[in-house]
Amino acid sequence: MRADLQTALSVTRLKEPRWYPQDDENDATKVLTNVNDEIKKINQLQKASQFSRRKQGQLKKLKVVFAIVVLGLVLGAILIFYPRQVQVPRLQGQTLSKAQSELLQANLKSQVKYRYDDKVAKNKVIKATPKEAKRGQTIVLYVSKGQKARAFGDYLDQDYDMVAKKLQKQGVKVKYKFVYASEYRRGLIMDQTLSPKKKVIPKQTKVTFTVSAGSESTLLKDLTGKTQAQAQAYAKKHGLNLEVAKRASVQKAGKVTAQNPGAATWLQAGSTLRVVVSNGKGSDPEELVDQTTFSFPITINYVENGTGTNEIKIYLEDANHNYKNVYQQFRINKNTTMSITFTLDAGKTGKYKVVRDGRVIAENQKVHQ
């Protein structure tokens, strides 16, 4: 109708026939529906439709939320109640508190057992068992009580080097001091600062041993040209036994013409010093050449062995010494060069060997001047 009214005066509709109202059901009077009521019905239908859509949307949201909550509960129950396998942290050497803290972080419980251990420090974890476990399982922590106290022991008359190695392996701090003692073989323990029955924890223990240095040694000086009386006085002063052999010489009677061992050689107290003294007879040098005395230089290298010194033994054979007997015995703490003196009969050779800490390190079977 609105379209008809808007175009009623349009030139395009000039030829349209005139409109006449049509008879409807014999011109009976009709009661028209109230327009406002219809509008209200339409509005109510629209509101009902919107409410239904909102309700359906809310219901969908509720379903999604409910599904998420249920899924979360299921997953939580699985995580809580399902016994999952976990790797036990590496705990060896850690303090007890730190080890227990790491186990808690891994959802594991702990049980502590203490035991003595010579290697692991006190209150540190020795080991943890088992290595793998399920969540919530108990892990046994073995914790060190440190070393067990024990009687120190009696080491008198034992070899210092062997005792020191044994105790140092246990953690004992070992020191020594040498003293000269002719009644003890060199290297033997004469005294110790700790009582043998004293209970000690090795890693917390210090001990000092008094070790025999053997008889006191003297660095011989050159006695040639000295009188026999002077040689005797020198030997007495240093605790040496003096043997005198008199031979013809162009030297003045009573003068020392040779000595064995030679000058610059270490000789222990109680050892024998041999000298040749001129009797003033004879003037032909060839008459004197029945023995030859000379010094033979050697170098002994020091080798670290954990004790700070090497024990050296020298064996020598010449006109005056037997190869089976120790010629000299001493200790070194650095490379050492020294001389050993040989006295050889005409046409003869000598020999020597050097033993360091029980092993032969140098040997010469044909020593001659």
Side-chain angles (χ1 to χ4, degrees):
M1 180 181 291
R2 181 184 299 174
D4 287 339
L5 290 175
Q6 290 176 343
T7 58
L9 299 179
S10 174
V11 294
T12 59
R13 299 183 63 183
L14 290 175
K15 295 181 179 183
E16 285 185 3
R18 182 178 297 181
W19 178 82
Y20 295 98
Q22 298 179 358
D23 292 335
D24 186 13
E25 297 181 2
N26 299 319
D27 294 331
T29 303
K30 293 183 177 182
V31 179
L32 298 177
T33 303
N34 191 331
V35 175
N36 291 331
D37 291 339
E38 291 298 324
I39 292 172
K40 286 180 180 180
K41 287 181 180 180
I42 291 171
N43 290 336
Q44 288 175 353
L45 288 173
Q46 288 178 345
K47 287 180 180 180
S49 176
Q50 290 175 355
F51 177 76
S52 177
R53 285 197 298 271
R54 283 199 304 270
K55 193 171 183 180
Q56 287 179 356
Q58 291 175 350
L59 187 60
K60 285 182 180 179
K61 290 180 180 179
L62 287 173
K63 287 180 179 180
V64 171
V65 171
F66 179 74
I68 291 172
V69 170
V70 171
L71 182 61
L73 291 174
V74 171
L75 290 175
I78 291 173
L79 291 174
I80 293 173
F81 298 105
Y82 183 73
R84 191 174 57 170
Q85 198 82 2
V86 295
Q87 185 75 26
V88 177
R90 181 176 176 81
L91 305 173
Q92 185 176 2
Q94 295 187 10
T95 61
L96 176 60
S97 59
K98 186 175 181 180
Q100 289 177 322
S101 175
E102 290 197 23
L103 290 177
L104 284 175
Q105 291 177 9
N107 294 310
L108 296 168
K109 300 176 183 178
S110 63
Q111 178 185 356
V112 181
K113 292 185 178 181
Y114 290 92
R115 61 168 58 170
Y116 290 107
D117 193 281
D118 288 343
K119 296 181 179 179
V120 180
K122 187 176 181 180
N123 294 325
K124 295 292 183 70
V125 176
I126 302 170
K127 65 176 182 176
T129 57
K131 299 297 182 184
E132 291 187 356
K134 296 178 180 179
R135 293 170 61 90
Q137 186 174 337
T138 298
I139 303 302
V140 179
L141 296 174
Y142 292 91
V143 179
S144 173
K145 294 168 67 175
Q147 290 183 308
K148 188 174 183 178
R150 63 195 71 174
F152 180 72
D154 186 357
Y155 299 101
L156 299 184
D157 294 325
Q158 296 187 38
D159 183 80
Y160 169 77
D161 288 341
M162 295 180 63
V163 171
K165 287 179 182 179
K166 174 185 174 182
L167 294 179
Q168 285 168 348
K169 283 183 179 179
Q170 297 174 10
V172 178
K173 293 181 175 62
V174 181
K175 293 184 178 181
Y176 66 90
K177 60 178 180 179
F178 280 119
V179 296
Y180 291 110
S182 58
E183 66 272 23
Y184 283 88
R185 178 177 61 81
R186 185 180 179 88
L188 289 185
I189 295 174
M190 300 168 54
D191 194 15
Q192 60 189 52
T193 54
L194 295 178
S195 167
K197 294 182 179 180
K198 181 178 177 61
K199 295 285 187 179
V200 299
I201 296 174
K203 288 186 177 179
Q204 301 175 12
T205 302
K206 296 179 181 179
V207 64
T208 300
F209 291 111
T210 301
V211 183
S212 171
S215 299
E216 187 171 3
S217 297
T218 299
L219 185 63
L220 295 178
K221 69 177 185 178
D222 187 359
L223 297 177
T224 57
K226 303 293 184 182
T227 65
Q228 181 176 338
Q230 288 174 323
Q232 288 173 333
Y234 179 81
K236 184 177 179 181
K237 177 181 177 181
H238 296 287
L240 303 173
N241 299 313
L242 186 68
E243 286 187 4
V244 179
K246 292 190 176 183
R247 295 196 180 126
S249 172
V250 293
Q251 294 281 343
K252 184 178 178 181
K255 294 287 186 177
V256 175
T257 60
Q259 70 182 70
N260 182 33
T265 299
W266 287 99
L267 193 63
Q268 290 182 341
S271 298
T272 299
L273 171 62
R274 296 175 177 87
V275 295
V276 177
V277 177
S278 172
N279 61 12
K281 298 177 182 179
S283 59
D284 188 353
E286 293 185 2
E287 295 179 6
L288 308 177
V289 187
D290 53 347
Q291 282 188 334
T292 302
T293 300
F294 61 93
S295 295
F296 191 87
I298 61 172
T299 298
I300 306 171
N301 292 326
Y302 168 75
V303 176
E304 180 59 51
N305 60 9
T307 66
T309 62
N310 295 149
E311 182 182 51
I312 305 299
K313 292 180 180 180
I314 299 176
Y315 296 82
L316 180 147
E317 182 176 277
D318 64 357
N320 301 317
H321 298 88
N322 190 311
Y323 205 52
K324 294 180 180 180
N325 300 327
V326 177
Y327 170 66
Q328 288 190 49
Q329 181 177 349
F330 51 92
R331 286 182 176 273
I332 62 172
N333 56 13
K334 61 182 179 179
N335 294 344
T336 302
T337 299
M338 59 178 292
S339 295
I340 53 179
T341 302
F342 287 87
T343 299
L344 299 178
D345 292 328
K348 299 292 184 179
T349 60
K351 60 182 179 180
Y352 77 91
K353 66 179 177 182
V354 179
V355 179
R356 181 183 61 211
D357 294 333
R359 297 182 60 184
V360 177
I361 61 169
E363 189 171 12
N364 189 332
Q365 297 288 330
K366 293 183 179 181
V367 177
H368 55 83
Q369 191 173 23

